[in-house]
Coordinates of all heavy atoms in Angstrom, one line a residue:
R119 N 102.3 -14.6 42.4 CA 100.9 -15.0 42.8 C 100.0 -13.8 43.0 O 98.9 -13.8 42.7 CB 101.1 -15.7 44.2 CG 101.7 -17.1 44.1 CD 101.5 -17.9 45.4 NE 102.0 -19.3 45.3 CZ 103.3 -19.6 45.5 NH1 104.2 -18.7 45.9 NH2 103.7 -20.9 45.4
W141 N 90.3 -21.8 39.0 CA 91.2 -21.4 40.1 C 91.1 -22.5 41.2 O 92.0 -23.0 41.7 CB 90.8 -20.1 40.7 CG 91.7 -19.5 41.8 CD1 91.9 -20.1 43.0 CD2 92.4 -18.3 41.8 NE1 92.7 -19.3 43.7 CE2 93.0 -18.2 43.0 CE3 92.5 -17.3 40.9 CZ2 93.8 -17.1 43.4 CZ3 93.3 -16.2 41.2 CH2 93.9 -16.1 42.4
V144 N 92.6 -25.9 40.1 CA 94.0 -25.9 40.2 C 94.4 -26.0 41.7 O 95.4 -26.7 42.0 CB 94.6 -24.7 39.6 CG1 96.1 -24.6 39.8 CG2 94.4 -24.7 38.1
A145 N 93.6 -25.4 42.5 CA 93.9 -25.4 44.0 C 93.5 -26.7 44.6 O 93.7 -26.9 45.8 CB 93.2 -24.2 44.7
G146 N 92.9 -27.6 43.8 CA 92.6 -28.9 44.4 C 91.2 -29.0 45.0 O 90.9 -30.0 45.7
E147 N 90.4 -28.0 44.8 CA 89.0 -27.9 45.4 C 87.9 -28.5 44.5 O 86.9 -28.8 45.0 CB 88.7 -26.5 45.8 CG 89.6 -25.9 46.9 CD 89.5 -26.6 48.2 OE1 88.4 -27.2 48.5 OE2 90.4 -26.5 49.1
E232 N 98.9 -21.9 36.7 CA 98.4 -23.1 37.4 C 99.4 -23.5 38.4 O 99.1 -24.1 39.5 CB 98.1 -24.2 36.4 CG 99.1 -24.5 35.4 CD 98.9 -23.8 34.1 OE1 98.6 -22.6 34.1 OE2 98.9 -24.5 33.0
R233 N 100.7 -23.3 38.1 CA 101.7 -23.7 39.1 C 101.7 -22.8 40.3 O 102.0 -23.2 41.4 CB 103.1 -23.7 38.5 CG 103.4 -24.9 37.5 CD 104.7 -24.8 36.9 NE 105.8 -24.6 37.8 CZ 107.1 -24.2 37.5 NH1 107.4 -24.0 36.2 NH2 108.0 -24.1 38.5
L234 N 101.4 -21.5 40.1 CA 101.3 -20.6 41.2 C 100.1 -20.8 42.1 O 100.2 -20.4 43.3 CB 101.3 -19.1 40.6 CG 102.5 -18.7 39.8 CD1 102.2 -17.4 39.1 CD2 103.7 -18.6 40.7
L235 N 99.1 -21.4 41.6 CA 97.8 -21.5 42.4 C 97.7 -22.8 43.1 O 96.8 -22.9 43.9 CB 96.6 -21.3 41.4 CG 96.6 -20.0 40.6 CD1 95.3 -19.9 39.8 CD2 96.6 -18.8 41.6
V236 N 98.6 -23.7 42.9 CA 98.5 -25.0 43.5 C 98.6 -24.8 45.1 O 99.5 -24.2 45.5 CB 99.6 -26.0 43.0 CG1 99.6 -27.2 43.9 CG2 99.3 -26.3 41.6
G237 N 97.7 -25.4 45.8 CA 97.7 -25.3 47.3 C 97.3 -24.0 47.9 O 97.4 -23.9 49.1
I238 N 96.8 -23.0 47.1 CA 96.4 -21.8 47.7 C 95.1 -22.0 48.5 O 94.2 -22.7 48.0 CB 96.2 -20.7 46.7 CG1 97.6 -20.2 46.2 CG2 95.4 -19.5 47.2 CD1 97.6 -19.0 45.3
A239 N 95.0 -21.4 49.7 CA 93.8 -21.6 50.5 C 92.6 -20.8 50.0 O 92.8 -20.0 49.1 CB 94.1 -21.2 51.9
L240 N 91.5 -21.2 50.5 CA 90.3 -20.4 50.2 C 90.4 -19.1 50.9 O 90.9 -19.0 52.0 CB 89.0 -21.1 50.6 CG 88.7 -22.5 49.9 CD1 87.5 -23.1 50.5 CD2 88.6 -22.3 48.4
M285 N 91.3 -23.8 55.1 CA 92.7 -23.9 54.6 C 93.0 -25.2 53.9 O 92.4 -26.2 54.3 CB 93.7 -23.7 55.7 CG 93.6 -22.4 56.5 SD 95.0 -22.3 57.6 CE 94.3 -21.2 58.8
T286 N 93.8 -25.1 52.9 CA 94.3 -26.4 52.3 C 95.6 -26.7 53.0 O 96.2 -25.9 53.6 CB 94.5 -26.2 50.8 OG1 95.4 -25.1 50.6 CG2 93.2 -26.0 50.1
A287 N 96.0 -28.0 52.9 CA 97.1 -28.5 53.6 C 98.4 -27.6 53.2 O 98.7 -27.5 52.1 CB 97.4 -29.9 53.3
G288 N 99.1 -27.1 54.2 CA 100.3 -26.4 54.0 C 100.1 -25.0 53.5 O 101.1 -24.3 53.2
A289 N 98.9 -24.5 53.3 CA 98.7 -23.2 52.8 C 98.8 -22.1 53.9 O 98.4 -22.4 55.0 CB 97.3 -23.1 52.1
T290 N 99.3 -21.0 53.5 CA 99.4 -19.9 54.5 C 98.2 -19.0 54.3 O 97.9 -18.6 53.2 CB 100.7 -19.1 54.2 OG1 101.8 -19.9 54.3 CG2 100.8 -17.9 55.2

Side-chain angles (χ1 to χ4, degrees):
R119 288 190 177 93
W141 184 302
V144 174
E147 296 292 339
E232 51 265 48
R233 285 177 53 192
L234 296 171
L235 302 181
V236 171
I238 284 185
L240 299 179
M285 299 188 203
T286 54
T290 301

